[in-house]
Amino acid sequence: MTSETTNSKQSGRALPSMSVLGPILALVLLVVVGALLNPNFLGAANITNVLARSAFIGIIAVGMTFVITAGGLDLSVGSMAAFIAGLMILVMNAALPSMGVGVPIILLGMLVAIVAGILAGLLNGFLITTVGIEAFIVTLGTMGIYRSLVTWLADGGTLSLDFGLRTFYRPVYFDGILGISWPIIVFALVVIIGEIVMSRARFGRHCAATGSNEHVAHYSNVNVNRTRLITYALLGLLVGVATIMYVPRLGSASSSTGVLWELEAIAAVIIGGTVLKGGFGRVWGTVIGVLILSLIDNILNLTDLVSPYLNGAIQGVIIILAVILQREAKAKG
Amino acid sequence: MGETVSTPTLELCDIRKSFGPIEVLHGIDIALRSGEVHALIGENGAGKSTTMKILAGYQPATSGKILLDGKEVTFDSLHEGEEAGIVMIHQEFNLAEQLTVEQNIFLGRELRKGWLLDKAEMRRLTRSYLDRVKCRVHPDTPVSKLSNSDKQMVEIAKALSRDARVVIMDEPTAVLTNREAGILFEQVRAMREAGTAILFTSHKLSEVAEIADQVTVMRDGAVVRACPASDITEDEMATAMVGRDVSDLYPKHREEAENELALSVSGLDVPGFAEGISFDLYRGEIFGIAGLIGSGRTEAMEGLCGLRPATRDAMQINGQDVSIRKPSDALAHGLCYLTEDRKLRGLLLERGMRENLTLQALPKFGTLLIDRSAEEKALDQAIKDFDIRAGRRDVKVGNLSGGNQQKLLLAKVMQSEPKILIVDEPTRGIDIGTKQQIYAFLRRLADEGHAIIMVSSEMQELIGMADRVAVMRTGRIAGTLSGKDITEDAIVRLAMGVGATEYGAKKELA
């Protein structure tokens, strides 16, 4: 038990130290370890690679932060991404004869992804808030539905974007401004906006209130159902955005696209210090969570110290450790 | 009673307790004797809860001795306290909500026949315990389906089942109606006859006078008075608790009320709870709503404010027809409801004061982004206006005392600048000093021209504060009393449905 007099001066700043510093320290530690193990680790090429790969999960995880903060959960995002990618490819291929290769058809594909994402998110949100089924069950169901739909659309194989289109679309993943690739720029924008909304806007406050105690929120003039519905729609939108960035990378979608993304996104959110049962969330923490997960993967691939096949095991240990550290910080506070 | 000089069953000697460098208990002596009911009273924050937790083994003392049957003991865990026959019944119940009554009563010490549970015997015993407390719930009912008063009875049945030698009850009557409290007291007397030592806390001094043999009064972490109950009057108890005279608990009524109509509602129906509620509310008036718990008071008010589905024939605010379907409609018309349940519906306990204060009125604090410095200013003002004593500014609201939570809740509701304020049990479970402050605040608000509806189970409070009182029974207004007609007797008669017509009750439509 810390003394209350010494606390009173700097309490607000000093109190959350472990839960705030923990993820940051872990990230710094990983960077140091990576740099020591492999000189290429801090090279521009590797950093760009790590960040670009983090962007998909990262963009989704920002949306997941809002859903979890408001007391919800979404297991369907990985399947949803695969389904949206498949849908996008089908629509673009179908429109190709009439529209030809060009900017309009790419915009059409993006529009499809965004609209499909929002609709899929709204469907989850509607079933959870209006119909009143638990989030875990609803999204477990839609997870299966979207996964099955994309498999069916691809007829068990792979949906490929037309070769000409693919060449035209490629720069959206591989190019950028000032040497920073598009996915990283979009990821950064999503994070900045997300952080401001979470910590400074009314919506973020409403999410935290809803997740903390929905009765109190209701009695305090917070529209609980609408707040939740918006978090799911927002997540759907961000899944759409992530898919837009993802499709040009491989130019295809199959039943194995986006597998386990939902768990990686949830893990990143939790490592970042958002409380799984809701009521408290921070977007910047989620970013650190995403980076920690990607760096582990990256370091294992760059060095032959530990088999890359153990990636999952190490990530698992990190997730559990993160929660234990947070709990101890809480107990002390 | 109390003349016996037997060894106390459980005794605290010079107990001190510190949290960090702050000492909260300064040498407490208290002795619980077999066959004696001991009342521990004091304002919120006086140290009653901590004292009880040390008695029950929930928390260790920093220094001092705990004597069980005259022998020094240390309880390292709650379990050891229970082993020694000490049972504590919390204000927030300690029951597993999803389990049935029977499973709860035998939780952790299930009876077995060989490898299997002996359900028949447990059922029989459960029935007998419930009968002893005159509780009619079925042993198979899940606890989550019970009312608060039934939960209280189940807790007591559980204590009975453990053959407790010492029973410690934290405000057992706070959630009970008078009749249920009567049953509880019968049971307390029966336990006393059986030789149990009983300690309870209460903010209702009349109860203390009625049932206690010994009274210990605490203030600021110390015992300021300890004597047989027969040696102290209720007034003296209150004075000892607060440390000053509190005979002027209620502010003066207003000489004459204004006749300007603030709110008029007719035919308010809240499906399943209330029917045909009609009344007029004038500016500058405090309108009381009485009735037993379960009479639909709270639900009717929540329906009025759009917090739960309701229909109405007509509703006017300041002479204008209004339609209120959701809480934001009510707020837009300056109508605001302060919940009876500050912990579950009023405040985010895990959050700080600033976020709680502004939650209901967030649009006031910035359009696109929230203006934190404006929030901080509002908090400064609220702490000053409502005399909120928090110690630290960033304290989690759950760690505030009940009285300070209630003041914060009031401050929060006032952030939305209501013209018509509905307060539901505004002083439940808070100390007399804070009550006085809240009463004064409500009266001042009315004098400034606001209209106030006060829902309360405490008849003294209604008599002391309200200009008129509507009494509800089974979802309807059984009658309305005003001026000198507001008496305890009249309220009880209307609430219980006896001799209602004498008091000019409206005809029931039935």
Side-chain angles (χ1 to χ4, degrees):
Chain A
M1 217 162 277
T2 44
S3 66
E4 290 195 26
T5 37
T6 47
N7 261 352
S8 58
K9 280 257 160 66
Q10 20 152 270
S11 48
R13 314 289 162 255
L15 201 81
S17 59
M18 197 53 224
S19 75
V20 170
L21 285 181
I24 298 176
L25 286 179
L27 184 65
V28 171
L29 189 74
L30 276 175
V31 171
V32 171
V33 168
L36 290 177
L37 287 175
N38 192 317
N40 293 331
F41 179 78
L42 287 179
N46 189 51
I47 289 178
T48 304
N49 179 32
V50 169
L51 287 177
R53 280 163 167 270
S54 307
F56 313 125
I57 299 288
I59 291 168
I60 294 172
V62 170
M64 191 69 83
T65 310
F66 284 90
V67 167
I68 291 180
T69 301
L73 190 70
D74 193 338
L75 297 173
S76 70
V77 291
S79 304
M80 197 191 287
F83 172 66
I84 294 171
L87 198 65
M88 212 177 142
I89 291 168
L90 276 182
V91 169
M92 286 164 82
N93 282 346
L96 186 59
S98 55
M99 294 178 81
V101 176
V103 175
I105 196 166
I106 302 295
L107 290 179
L108 172 72
M110 289 180 173
L111 186 70
V112 167
I114 301 270
V115 171
I118 294 176
L119 287 180
L122 283 175
L123 176 69
N124 279 338
F126 170 77
L127 290 171
I128 291 162
T129 58
T130 311
V131 183
I133 311 172
E134 272 179 66
F136 187 94
I137 295 166
V138 168
T139 58
L140 188 66
T142 51
M143 170 169 119
I145 292 170
Y146 296 132
R147 180 66 61 199
S148 162
L149 280 179
V150 73
T151 314
W152 174 68
L153 287 178
D155 205 11
T158 302
L159 284 165
S160 294
L161 198 57
D162 176 86
F163 185 76
L165 263 177
R166 202 188 304 180
T167 321
F168 188 76
Y169 194 4
R170 260 177 67 90
V172 172
Y173 178 78
F174 291 97
D175 283 4
I177 337 176
L178 302 171
I180 306 170
S181 71
W182 285 113
I184 300 175
I185 295 169
V186 172
F187 180 31
L189 281 177
V190 166
V191 166
I192 290 167
I193 296 171
E195 173 64 29
I196 290 173
V197 169
M198 180 64 92
S199 63
R200 280 303 166 91
R202 214 183 302 163
F203 179 68
R205 200 64 78 74
H206 283 184
C207 285
T210 300
S212 183
N213 183 332
E214 59 179 300
H215 298 294
V216 174
H218 175 61
Y219 278 80
S220 306
N221 192 29
V222 174
N223 191 330
V224 173
N225 275 353
R226 196 177 60 195
T227 303
R228 287 222 166 107
L229 186 69
I230 293 174
T231 63
Y232 287 102
L234 179 73
L235 176 55
L237 164 75
L238 290 174
V239 171
V241 171
T243 312
I244 289 173
M245 299 287 125
Y246 178 79
V247 166
R249 183 170 158 220
L250 296 176
S252 68
S254 71
S255 61
S256 60
T257 301
V259 167
L260 292 185
W261 281 12
E262 62 283 339
L263 294 187
E264 274 192 54
I266 293 169
V269 172
I270 301 309
I271 292 171
T274 296
V275 179
L276 183 59
K277 66 177 171 56
F280 177 79
R282 50 182 186 218
V283 170
W284 65 262
T286 298
V287 176
I288 291 182
V290 171
L291 293 179
I292 288 176
L293 290 179
S294 317
L295 281 183
I296 294 170
D297 185 37
N298 184 244
I299 290 171
L300 293 186
N301 277 322
L302 286 180
T303 62
D304 39 11
L305 211 60
V306 184
S307 162
Y309 296 134
L310 282 175
N311 184 6
I314 293 174
Q315 290 185 350
V317 170
I318 299 267
I319 294 166
I320 294 168
L321 268 181
V323 174
I324 291 174
L325 282 177
Q326 280 163 22
R327 174 160 349 135
E328 287 189 344
K330 197 179 168 193
K332 275 180 203 144
Chain B
M1 284 208 207
E3 296 300 315
T4 42
V5 268
S6 61
T7 320
T9 311
L10 188 61
E11 189 175 7
L12 295 185
C13 295
D14 194 28
I15 288 289
R16 287 169 190 278
K17 174 77 185 173
S18 303
F19 291 111
I22 313 274
E23 190 173 89
V24 294
L25 293 182
H26 319 294
I28 300 295
D29 294 299
I30 191 168
L32 310 183
R33 290 189 164 79
S34 164
E36 219 175 62
V37 177
H38 200 125
L40 180 62
I41 58 176
E43 297 195 271
N44 286 337
K48 295 173 311 217
S49 300
T50 313
T51 306
M52 283 190 293
K53 283 177 185 162
I54 292 172
L55 272 168
Y58 278 62
Q59 274 180 2
T62 308
S63 73
K65 281 190 290 189
I66 305 172
L67 303 179
L68 183 69
D69 296 321
K71 283 188 227 80
E72 189 171 349
V73 287
T74 48
F75 297 131
D76 287 329
S77 72
L78 165 61
H79 203 67
E80 290 176 32
E82 277 208 9
E83 290 279 285
I86 302 165
V87 173
M88 179 159 172
I89 300 177
H90 292 261
Q91 210 175 342
E92 284 89 30
F93 305 112
N94 233 344
L95 298 169
E97 292 269 321
Q98 305 299 327
L99 299 187
T100 66
V101 170
E102 179 189 316
Q103 285 166 336
N104 264 291
I105 286 180
F106 284 95
L107 190 62
R109 10 166 257 124
E110 292 81 359
L111 302 181
R112 275 176 304 186
K113 218 188 218 164
W115 287 16
L116 300 175
L117 292 174
D118 186 356
K119 289 216 170 175
E121 179 66 4
M122 287 197 284
R123 169 69 49 86
R124 195 185 63 75
L125 286 170
T126 301
R127 201 56 270 172
S128 78
Y129 297 136
L130 291 175
D131 284 346
R132 276 173 66 186
V133 292
K134 297 200 173 56
C135 179
R136 302 205 187 288
V137 302
H138 194 275
D140 281 342
T141 320
V143 163
S144 57
K145 295 241 163 73
L146 299 183
S147 65
N148 275 338
S149 52
D150 281 336
K151 285 184 191 171
Q152 181 84 56
M153 291 305 171
V154 170
E155 280 277 20
I156 291 168
K158 195 169 150 186
L160 290 176
S161 79
R162 303 210 166 183
D163 296 321
R165 298 180 57 210
V166 179
V167 174
I168 298 168
M169 293 187 278
D170 189 4
E171 285 193 53
T173 58
V175 296
L176 302 186
T177 62
N178 287 340
R179 198 182 43 185
E180 288 164 338
I183 296 171
L184 173 74
F185 289 153
E186 258 173 57
Q187 208 48 51
V188 167
R189 288 194 188 96
M191 285 196 280
R192 172 169 67 190
E193 297 305 316
T196 313
I198 296 156
L199 177 87
F200 78 103
T201 61
S202 176
H203 284 300
K204 297 176 189 165
L205 300 181
S206 54
E207 288 176 6
V208 174
E210 181 187 338
I211 190 147
D213 303 311
Q214 288 285 331
V215 176
T216 295
V217 186
M218 288 183 72
R219 189 170 72 226
D220 300 331
V223 172
V224 291
R225 180 107 191 241
C227 61
S230 48
D231 293 357
I232 184 168
T233 66
E234 285 178 45
D235 262 357
E236 288 165 344
M237 289 183 213
T239 308
M241 276 163 63
V242 184
R244 63 189 148 87
D245 195 9
V246 286
S247 55
D248 55 344
L249 182 58
Y250 303 105
K252 273 210 185 69
H253 279 244
R254 198 169 203 195
E255 293 304 315
E256 50 195 293
E258 284 180 55
N259 285 324
E260 209 176 320
L261 205 55
L263 169 82
S264 164
V265 61
S266 65
L268 174 74
D269 285 353
V270 181
F273 296 103
E275 238 183 309
I277 304 290
S278 306
F279 62 86
D280 290 334
L281 179 68
Y282 297 93
R283 286 187 57 185
E285 136 176 275
I286 296 181
F287 183 64
I289 296 186
L292 302 175
I293 290 173
S295 62
R297 307 174 307 194
T298 294
E299 290 80 3
M301 291 305 114
E302 289 181 353
L304 189 70
C305 295
L307 283 158
R308 54 170 77 227
T311 59
R312 38 186 90 61
D313 295 341
M315 181 164 169
Q316 290 183 321
I317 289 178
N318 295 328
Q320 284 183 318
D321 286 316
V322 294
S323 149
I324 287 173
R325 306 194 171 283
K326 43 186 198 300
S328 55
D329 296 342
L331 283 181
H333 290 105
L335 172 63
C336 195
Y337 170 79
L338 182 138
T339 176
E340 61 176 334
D341 192 340
R342 61 178 167 260
K343 289 192 171 164
L344 291 182
R345 293 180 189 155
L347 297 169
L348 298 171
L349 301 181
E350 294 285 303
R351 292 279 165 159
M353 293 194 290
R354 176 172 57 88
E355 283 169 71
N356 271 289
L357 180 69
T358 60
L359 184 60
Q360 191 161 6
L362 269 185
K364 218 173 86 179
F365 296 92
T367 39
L368 201 59
L369 298 182
I370 296 168
D371 180 353
R372 288 222 186 129
S373 63
E375 282 187 292
E376 292 290 353
K377 258 189 222 139
L379 180 58
D380 284 335
Q381 193 65 39
I383 288 176
K384 208 172 103 213
D385 290 352
F386 291 88
D387 186 29
I388 300 169
R389 296 173 204 169
R392 284 167 40 188
R393 202 180 163 81
D394 58 345
V395 65
K396 274 188 191 169
V397 166
N399 294 337
L400 293 178
S401 72
N404 282 313
Q405 284 179 355
Q406 191 69 20
K407 288 184 200 169
L408 179 66
L409 183 57
L410 198 53
K412 167 184 163 177
V413 167
M414 291 313 294
Q415 285 297 321
S416 32
E417 296 168 11
K419 298 281 180 293
I420 304 167
L421 179 63
I422 303 176
V423 290
D424 199 342
E425 303 282 10
T427 64
R428 174 182 280 176
I430 65 178
D431 58 77
I432 200 157
T434 309
K435 273 185 185 176
Q436 195 177 24
Q437 290 175 314
I438 288 180
Y439 293 146
F441 175 78
L442 290 175
R443 178 50 75 184
R444 198 166 63 239
L445 213 56
D447 287 346
E448 286 167 7
H450 294 76
I452 294 171
I453 298 179
M454 184 160 105
V455 179
S456 178
S457 298
E458 286 197 44
M459 280 184 279
Q460 282 308 326
E461 176 171 293
L462 288 171
I463 294 165
M465 290 292 293
D467 303 305
R468 289 186 298 148
V469 173
V471 184
M472 283 188 67
R473 189 170 75 84
T474 59
R476 292 165 181 281
I477 292 182
T480 305
L481 306 162
S482 62
K484 298 248 180 316
D485 292 340
I486 309 175
T487 62
E488 217 162 306
D489 181 59
I491 294 174
V492 169
R493 277 165 180 275
L494 285 171
M496 308 291 280
V498 283
T501 44
E502 276 174 57
Y503 296 95
K506 287 180 187 165
K507 273 182 204 152
E508 291 201 39
L509 297 166

